[in-house]
Amino acid sequence: MRPHLTVLAVLLICVPVEAQSPSRIVNVEARRTTSLNGKWRAIVDPYENGYYDFRLQPSTDGYFLDAKPKDKSDLLEYDFDTSGQLDVPGDWNTQRESLFFYEGTVWYRKTFDCQSKPATRLFLYFGAANYEAIVYFNGEKLGSHTGGYTPFAFEITGKTREKGNSVVVKVDNRRHREAVPTVNTDWWNYGGLTRGVSLVEVPETFVEDYFVQLKKGSTDTIAGWVKLNGPRLRQRVSIRIPEAGVSASVSTDANGYAALSVPAKLTLWSPENPKLYVVVIASDTDSVRERIGFRTIETKGTDILLNGKSVFLRGVSIHEEAPFRTGRAYSPEDARTLLGWAKELGCNFVRLAHYPHNENMVREADRLGLMVWSETPVYWTILWENPETFANAANQLAESIARDKNRASIVLWSVANETPVGDARTAFLKKLAGQVRTLDQTRLVTAALLHHNDGGAAQGNTDLLDDPLGADLDVLGCNEYLGWYDGLPDKADHMDYKTIYTKPLIMSEFGADALYGLHGDPLARWTEEYQENVYRHQVGMLNRIPYLRGTSPWVLMDFRSPRRTLPDIQDFFNRKGLVSVRGDKKKAFYVMQEFYQAKQKEYQ
Ligand code: GCB
């Protein structure tokens, strides 16, 4: 049997494939990698001249060929070698003034040399490309990926040459009505190879993926699965946690899959003690290690229980906006700065809005002991009845769960933000919530919903959360802007919140804009005093909601948004940050900090 399988595998690896589906490679950090970060050549192509011919038919000799004139008479109207450069990772908007508002295609090109190694497979890995990427290698199309916030990879085993390999990526960040997110958002549509790119080496048969978490409801059994990829799918696979004396093994089936269930005595991960263990997963052909934390997260009535104990999620919402320099955040330093500010605020929780943030963020949250709400970019009004829109949302959600399912910090998967109640929308989101439960039974499902004024006997002083989606969620999220879009700050004093559900509530957004350093009286819009005033009235109101178990005000740091045009105040920034992009703390920061100090005592 064996020789045949090997021959077959070699054939499979060598047969040229026109276009692959993207692969999911997890825990890239643990692999032998070659970074392709740095300067890439870039051609800005607003008319997609490198993709279509003049009849708008796909071109056969487009920019993806990365060609040079064959002789002095040959006509070629592009040249990567003499084109300008862009940094990867990085959005193009903040790298060149002329690209600040650009929405369209940019072609990226990187060359590298490569010694092919025996019995080794090679993947081209992209942390993220916003929004649509088509990847070519040495002139051949590898495949494409849709969605700006999740990783993807293409295999290039057997396709490399020793010198001058060419990776060309067509990145297009145009917004589309049917896309996820859709045309209308309140954040910058940063385009480009916004996260790192690398070459990842794995053995012929490798540990492709694994889920290693505590079994739902148990603190002494690790449950999950492991999956191999390659020609030798049936193997013994061991899982070891040396520090906890855990050692077990399983046999994978013909699909390379095996379920795990391993007894373990572990120190549980928590914000107070973010304990991570080195977990080693090894087969005959591969071995991979990762630092993983173990904890339980459940709800009971209106409580959220972390490791069985009721907790209040002292959070803050965060956009993936880079501190100090602006643009899309991507680096470990960005993550440390943003999450460091959250810790200073008194947080044990962050809401990473409105899309999956880069992997540095969730890994840093693991280390710092910050619980995480991770969100999929189903934002405002997307095309609920379009099956492709659903497939796209479902795929982005699955890719984000695939990447982060072993992060102890992630306690909540959010399926949407501020979506309008209606049959098609609710059916769409119920299906998405169902998908989360199929992929990951260990975490809680949420969404940021809206209240509405019940207008009844309470004389307009009661807001009611009765969104039918609530039935499918474990934790209710709610965005409200009392005092900003809705009345003046003291409106919160007279407001009561009711819900038809017996579930915990996280007030997932509230806030007000303030330009750091602008001062005035507490009713003067855009001043720090106004924002502070809103927060003061908010905390009073929040304290009156008996089923409130968390808050994540909007937002930690000011962020760029094309919707925010007011000169000298907004200048294309949403100013609801508790800190400015330079890290200056606004007055409201301290109101929230005080609230969190009190909450911490209350829940000790
Ligand atoms: C919201 C959205 C958030 C906006 C925020 C605002 O409700 O969820 O994305 O940025 O309001 O500032 O208006």
Side-chain angles (χ1 to χ4, degrees):
M1 279 304 279
R2 235 171 223 198
H4 286 102
L5 275 180
T6 315
V7 169
L8 186 65
V10 169
L11 280 176
L12 278 175
I13 291 165
C14 295
V15 169
V17 193
E18 218 293 293
Q20 310 170 22
S21 305
S23 305
R24 288 182 195 157
I25 307 259
V26 297
N27 189 17
V28 168
E29 203 172 270
R31 296 292 180 183
R32 188 189 295 274
T33 57
T34 308
S35 171
L36 296 182
N37 292 344
K39 303 278 179 210
W40 287 53
R41 295 285 170 186
I43 300 177
V44 181
D45 188 14
Y47 277 39
E48 299 191 295
N49 191 46
Y51 193 72
Y52 295 112
D53 66 17
F54 80 125
R55 297 282 177 225
L56 217 60
Q57 295 304 306
S59 185
T60 49
D61 60 352
Y63 296 177
F64 43 85
L65 292 183
D66 188 9
K68 300 297 273 182
K70 288 184 211 58
D71 54 49
K72 64 180 182 189
S73 308
D74 201 12
L75 175 64
L76 272 188
E77 289 191 85
Y78 72 97
D79 185 356
F80 276 108
D81 291 336
T82 53
S83 294
Q85 306 194 85
L86 286 172
D87 283 320
V88 174
D91 61 84
W92 62 56
N93 313 72
T94 57
Q95 293 191 52
R96 267 188 217 171
E97 223 176 309
S98 61
L99 296 180
F100 188 60
F101 287 107
Y102 184 67
E103 296 186 313
T105 282
V106 172
W107 295 84
Y108 283 77
R109 199 279 320 259
K110 183 87 172 171
T111 56
F112 65 92
D113 300 338
C114 175
Q115 293 292 333
S116 74
K117 296 183 186 164
T120 300
R121 293 167 68 181
L122 201 57
F123 288 83
L124 249 177
Y125 176 86
F126 297 84
N130 190 33
Y131 167 81
E132 191 136 47
I134 309 180
V135 181
Y136 303 86
F137 186 66
N138 292 338
E140 176 196 335
K141 178 176 173 183
L142 293 177
S144 62
H145 181 264
T146 302
Y149 306 96
T150 41
F152 55 96
F154 293 104
E155 183 158 11
I156 54 168
T157 313
K159 297 179 193 290
T160 55
R161 46 193 187 220
E162 263 183 39
K163 294 273 171 221
N165 293 284
S166 153
V167 183
V168 172
V169 191
K170 176 184 183 292
V171 186
D172 181 355
N173 74 332
R174 268 172 308 175
R175 289 166 293 134
H176 298 284
R177 187 67 190 93
E178 70 281 7
V180 182
T182 179
V183 285
N184 201 17
T185 65
D186 187 24
W187 69 89
W188 208 269
N189 180 23
Y190 291 123
L193 296 175
T194 50
R195 297 182 191 156
V197 183
S198 54
L199 293 170
V200 183
E201 290 174 31
V202 291
E204 269 180 323
T205 300
F206 68 104
V207 177
E208 181 187 56
D209 202 359
Y210 46 89
F211 189 86
V212 180
Q213 291 281 284
L214 282 176
K215 184 172 157 188
K216 191 169 180 63
S218 159
T219 51
D220 58 11
T221 304
I222 292 173
W225 48 264
V226 44
K227 170 101 176 53
L228 304 180
N229 176 319
R232 280 192 55 199
L233 291 173
R234 286 182 192 277
Q235 293 193 43
R236 285 303 283 172
V237 178
S238 69
I239 149 156
R240 289 187 302 114
I241 308 176
E243 195 186 336
V246 171
S247 180
S249 69
V250 288
S251 295
T252 49
D253 64 16
N255 298 315
Y257 175 89
L260 300 169
S261 181
V262 185
K265 254 189 151 6
L266 299 157
T267 300
L268 301 182
W269 181 98
S270 69
E272 295 72 35
N273 181 18
K275 173 74 190 157
L276 301 176
Y277 288 93
V278 173
V279 177
V280 186
I281 296 171
S283 69
D284 289 348
T285 54
D286 189 19
S287 168
V288 66
R289 60 179 54 217
E290 179 160 24
R291 283 158 64 79
I292 296 179
F294 300 92
R295 49 102 198 90
T296 62
I297 191 81
E298 299 156 285
T299 60
K300 191 170 174 208
T302 60
D303 279 329
I304 299 175
L305 306 178
L306 173 71
N307 300 326
K309 186 168 168 274
S310 174
V311 282
F312 188 91
L313 273 51
R314 310 186 308 270
V316 69
S317 299
I318 304 182
H319 253 299
E320 197 175 36
E321 181 88 17
F324 310 118
R325 66 174 193 279
T326 77
R328 182 79 82 227
Y330 52 77
S331 70
E333 297 74 48
D334 293 337
R336 278 195 290 271
T337 304
L338 292 169
L339 297 180
W341 289 336
K343 288 287 275 192
E344 240 184 290
L345 188 64
C347 292
N348 60 5
F349 166 63
V350 287
R351 173 182 178 219
L352 301 184
H354 284 300
Y355 39 75
H357 287 213
N358 64 80
E359 203 167 351
N360 293 320
M361 280 295 269
V362 282
R363 288 195 181 266
E364 191 60 23
D366 256 18
R367 287 188 283 266
L368 288 176
L370 286 164
M371 292 179 274
V372 170
W373 159 316
S374 176
E375 192 157 296
T376 212
V378 174
Y379 181 89
W380 288 352
T381 308
I382 67 166
L383 290 192
W384 309 112
E385 291 180 45
N386 182 338
E388 279 166 26
T389 302
F390 179 80
N392 181 353
N395 185 53
Q396 292 192 49
L397 182 61
E399 287 179 341
S400 123
I401 294 176
R403 191 192 71 180
D404 290 341
K405 62 190 170 305
N406 291 315
R407 300 282 71 77
S409 52
I410 298 202
V411 293
L412 288 156
W413 297 119
S414 163
V415 294
N417 178 75
E418 280 185 7
T419 50
V421 176
D423 290 348
R425 163 276 193 183
T426 303
F428 183 113
L429 294 181
K430 277 175 184 275
K431 252 176 30 187
L432 223 47
Q435 181 189 321
V436 176
R437 295 189 196 283
T438 313
L439 295 172
D440 179 4
Q441 281 98 45
T442 70
R443 292 179 176 84
L444 306 173
V445 183
T446 192
L449 309 174
L450 294 167
H451 280 82
H452 64 90
N453 203 276
D454 83 347
Q459 294 163 337
N461 284 351
T462 307
D463 269 348
L464 182 70
L465 198 162
D466 59 356
D467 186 326
L469 183 66
D472 290 62
L473 305 177
D474 300 305
V475 174
L476 309 167
C478 177
N479 297 353
E480 53 90 4
Y481 281 92
L482 283 173
W484 186 253
Y485 298 122
D486 183 4
L488 293 175
D490 67 356
K491 186 167 181 190
D493 300 351
H494 317 289
M495 201 49 87
D496 282 324
Y497 278 92
K498 294 224 170 90
T499 176
I500 58 168
Y501 302 107
T502 308
K503 295 188 180 192
L505 169 75
I506 294 176
M507 210 58 100
S508 39
E509 283 181 33
F510 52 92
D513 287 65
L515 180 66
Y516 171 74
L518 185 68
H519 296 287
D521 74 66
L523 285 177
R525 292 263 175 187
W526 314 110
T527 63
E528 285 194 47
E529 285 70 18
Y530 190 104
Q531 188 189 40
E532 181 188 35
N533 195 11
V534 166
Y535 273 77
R536 286 213 185 286
H537 289 281
Q538 281 285 333
V539 297
M541 181 199 75
L542 293 168
N543 275 326
R544 294 198 310 274
I545 306 176
Y547 53 99
L548 186 79
R549 289 299 178 275
T551 44
S552 55
W554 194 254
V555 56
L556 178 66
M557 191 190 81
D558 294 349
F559 60 95
R560 284 195 193 275
S561 167
R563 297 168 59 88
R564 309 295 174 173
T565 59
L566 188 65
D568 301 326
I569 299 281
Q570 294 179 315
D571 297 320
F572 292 112
F573 276 94
N574 182 313
R575 298 284 183 196
K576 293 193 187 68
L578 290 169
V579 304
S580 74
V581 289
R582 290 194 314 276
D584 310 297
K585 295 183 182 73
K586 304 180 193 172
K587 287 180 143 187
F589 183 95
Y590 300 101
V591 179
M592 215 49 214
Q593 194 181 49
E594 201 181 307
F595 177 70
Y596 283 159
Q597 279 160 1
K599 280 289 167 210
Q600 189 169 7
K601 284 206 189 96
E602 192 185 322
Y603 278 79
Q604 242 157 27

